[in-house]
Amino acid sequence: MHKESSPSVTEIETHGVERIPDADRTARPLDLFRLAFGGANTFATCVLGAFPILFGLSFWQGLAAMLVGLLIGSLLLAPMAVFGPRNGTNNAVSSSAHLGVHGRIVGSFLSLLTAVAFFSLSVWSSGDALIGGAHRLLGVPESDVAYACAYAVFAALVLAVCVYGFRFMLLVNKIAVVAATLLFVLGIVAFAGDFDPSYAGIFTPDADRATRDLFWPSFIGAALIVLSNPVSFGAFLGDWARYIPAETPRRKVMGAAFLSQAATVLPFGFGLATAAIIAEQAPAYLDPAAPNFVGGLLAIAPAWYFLPVCLIALIGGMSTGTTALYGTGLDFSSVFPRLGRVQATVLIGVLSITFIFVGRFGFNLVQAISTFATMIITCTVPWMIVMMLGYVTRRGWYDPEALQVFTRRQHGGRYWFARGWNWRGMSAWWTGAVTGVLFTNIPGQFVGPLGDLASGADISLPLGAAVAAVVYLALLAALPEPRAVYGPEGPRWVRAADTPVAPITGPPGGDRVSAPSRTPA
């Protein structure tokens, strides 16, 4: 059978959040791996890997916290990959099935805010590394003008790639994954002679009681910071996975998402190991009040590694920036359908670039954005829990036409619920998010009203997720959803109600009843 060729990488993508036609869905799970891993294989991830050392842990304690956070975060992320192939659209649109066709804007704005925050952190960290390396290598002055030029170059390149769309972004990440990985491996050679795994941290046997009491809060806090990195991709996986054919086995799609984050043990480990060296040789750069990981890395690096540092900064900034900004433009176009994907991407790109320059040169917002990103993740995890449990109770059955009601400015359909809002999913999300915020404990940045109840440990993410799960399942059991939202096999774990569903009305096509998906669960 003849197979249509894939579009050229230089052909500007025209698809928005409408279901991707089957003929255009030629991506593979490997492509999903490349995009998700490429977006995390950067200096921004190395900075997160340094946090266990910043929290006072030894190298081995920090490694344990890193592996725990990475494993749990990767397991949480993996199920979010199944919605794209199943529905041919992004995860925010797929959330219409569980939060209602209007409630889906929660996912859109969560992904938008997450993308802006992580895009900003990536551009700042990569720009700083690029200028720092160029200063050591070529004598480029570390001035505001130099930093502004670096940020502008990153922003322009990222915006150009995102405008071209998925295929071009995939090409960039194919190159970035290999190149950045090789450069990080080269870094192992650069720092191997200075690395000492016996770095003890502050929680030594002879530490005082007050210090020892801080061990578990520090360990948990470090693990949660690592966990936040894979979780940050939860709202975006559908942006890329929607190009994977629907018949692709779920285990392969989930496996690609899991492995993409498990592989970030490389940049996380690089950050952890080099932070331990910095703590020994240049501890001033790891002052908790004003940490400067990039500066410390350059201070301990051999001269021949300055060029690889610049290349990692350029490649990593491109990779993370494109994966973040692409999803932002796509989601914004879904919230305001009058804007196409390209127009929305340009608009959000300009706003993000403005935000980066104002934040970097007008205010000291780096720490504030770090806190902002953590708070967004705290609110995103309950949303992910609702999506996952919704998928299980629906047996993976969705109606692609009803999912697009909001985008097409229509009314009715299986996911209309109460005027476009499914208060079961919405209630589970906001109660979980509020609980998480109340129990957040980020020392020196933000401590919620109940943040000290766990002896200083930050339990916001696990507690918020647990509350969302309990509330959602309880509401589904006590107040069943209409039978029409479930597939031919009916619901799993919960009951269904014989409640009528209004037909879809409005453009295009006038009044019609939505057609169910024929894809098997």
Side-chain angles (χ1 to χ4, degrees):
M1 188 173 76
H2 175 69
K3 184 177 180 179
E4 296 186 32
S5 60
S6 301
S8 168
V9 295
T10 57
E11 180 181 335
I12 295 179
E13 181 186 7
T14 57
H15 292 307
V17 295
E18 285 279 353
R19 187 176 185 276
I20 301 296
D22 291 340
D24 292 342
R25 298 172 69 174
T26 57
R28 299 170 296 164
L30 178 60
D31 297 323
L32 177 62
F33 170 88
R34 286 168 172 156
L35 286 165
F37 177 49
N41 195 29
T42 66
F43 259 126
T45 304
C46 293
V47 172
L48 295 178
F51 269 84
I53 303 299
L54 283 171
F55 283 8
L57 299 178
S58 70
F59 172 77
W60 293 112
Q61 292 164 348
L63 180 62
M66 182 191 79
L67 294 177
V68 168
L70 198 54
L71 176 61
I72 296 175
S74 300
L75 289 172
L76 277 174
L77 177 69
M80 298 302 294
V82 302
F83 296 96
R86 176 55 49 91
N87 298 321
T89 188
N90 71 346
N91 284 357
V93 173
S94 292
S95 72
S96 299
H98 309 298
L99 281 80
V101 296
H102 291 157
R104 51 141 296 186
I105 64 174
V106 169
S108 292
F109 278 103
L110 284 174
S111 60
L112 187 151
L113 294 173
T114 302
V116 171
F118 279 85
F119 175 60
S120 300
L121 286 172
S122 174
V123 169
W124 280 329
S125 61
S126 295
D128 289 350
L130 180 63
I131 295 302
H135 172 70
R136 299 296 182 88
L137 189 66
L138 303 173
V140 174
E142 294 181 302
S143 63
D144 285 349
V145 173
Y147 284 113
C149 290
Y151 301 149
V153 168
F154 278 130
L157 290 174
V158 168
L159 185 57
V161 173
C162 291
V163 166
Y164 275 102
F166 175 79
R167 302 293 170 185
F168 202 166
M169 184 174 67
L170 180 58
L171 175 63
V172 168
N173 277 272
K174 283 180 179 179
I175 298 171
V177 165
V178 176
T181 299
L182 291 176
L183 291 169
F184 277 127
V185 171
L186 187 62
I188 296 175
V189 177
F191 297 104
D194 295 325
F195 174 61
D196 182 3
S198 64
Y199 172 70
I202 65 173
F203 301 107
T204 57
D206 57 348
D208 58 52
R209 177 62 182 272
T211 300
R212 293 199 303 270
D213 287 345
L214 292 175
F215 172 75
W216 284 112
S218 299
F219 185 93
I220 294 172
L224 289 177
I225 285 178
V226 174
L227 180 149
S228 70
N229 201 55
V231 166
S232 70
F233 286 87
F236 300 118
L237 284 186
D239 301 343
W240 319 314
R242 66 198 181 117
Y243 278 95
I244 298 175
E247 62 272 14
T248 304
R250 285 176 297 180
R251 68 179 185 280
K252 291 186 177 181
V253 179
M254 293 174 62
F258 176 85
L259 291 175
S260 72
Q261 299 309 302
T264 60
V265 70
L266 177 62
F268 271 118
F270 182 88
L272 178 70
T274 52
I277 300 173
I278 295 170
E280 292 278 15
Q281 298 185 5
Y285 287 100
L286 294 187
D287 180 359
N292 182 4
F293 171 78
V294 173
L297 181 67
L298 292 170
I300 65 171
W304 64 265
Y305 195 63
F306 292 159
L307 179 58
V309 165
C310 293
L311 292 176
I312 291 175
L314 180 62
I315 295 169
M318 282 289 295
S319 184
T320 298
T322 53
T323 53
L325 193 59
Y326 173 81
T328 306
L330 185 66
D331 267 322
F332 201 73
S333 70
S334 71
V335 176
F336 300 97
R338 291 182 182 275
L339 292 175
R341 188 198 64 81
V342 173
Q343 295 95 324
T345 298
V346 171
L347 176 60
I348 294 299
V350 171
L351 292 176
S352 298
I353 293 167
T354 302
F355 179 77
I356 289 169
F357 275 84
V358 171
R360 176 60 173 81
F361 299 111
F363 302 93
N364 184 17
L365 287 184
V366 176
Q367 187 181 61
I369 291 302
S370 177
T371 303
F372 180 52
T374 301
M375 299 303 292
I376 293 172
I377 297 304
T378 301
C379 295
T380 300
V381 168
W383 177 81
M384 292 170 60
I385 294 298
V386 170
M387 290 280 286
M388 294 178 206
L389 290 176
Y391 184 94
V392 173
T393 57
R394 303 280 178 85
R395 300 180 187 272
W397 188 92
Y398 293 90
D399 180 345
E401 292 297 310
L403 290 174
Q404 298 291 342
V405 165
F406 179 91
T407 306
R408 297 170 180 170
R409 290 299 185 260
Q410 299 171 323
H411 296 82
R414 301 174 195 272
Y415 307 133
W416 186 249
F417 297 106
R419 299 191 178 187
W421 302 89
N422 184 355
W423 52 266
R424 302 167 187 83
M426 289 292 295
S427 297
W429 167 71
W430 75 257
T431 53
V434 169
T435 300
V437 171
L438 290 176
F439 281 87
T440 297
N441 190 323
I442 311 174
Q445 297 184 46
F446 175 81
V447 178
L450 304 178
D452 289 323
L453 291 186
S455 300
D458 188 335
I459 59 172
S460 56
L461 286 182
L463 190 59
V467 168
V470 171
V471 171
Y472 188 47
L473 291 176
L475 289 175
L476 289 179
L479 300 161
E481 293 178 320
R483 192 173 301 279
V485 305
Y486 298 101
E489 297 182 25
R492 178 188 284 129
W493 297 350
V494 295
R495 297 180 297 125
D498 294 319
T499 306
V501 172
I504 295 178
T505 60
D511 294 3
R512 57 191 174 87
V513 176
S514 56
S517 168
R518 297 300 180 188
T519 304

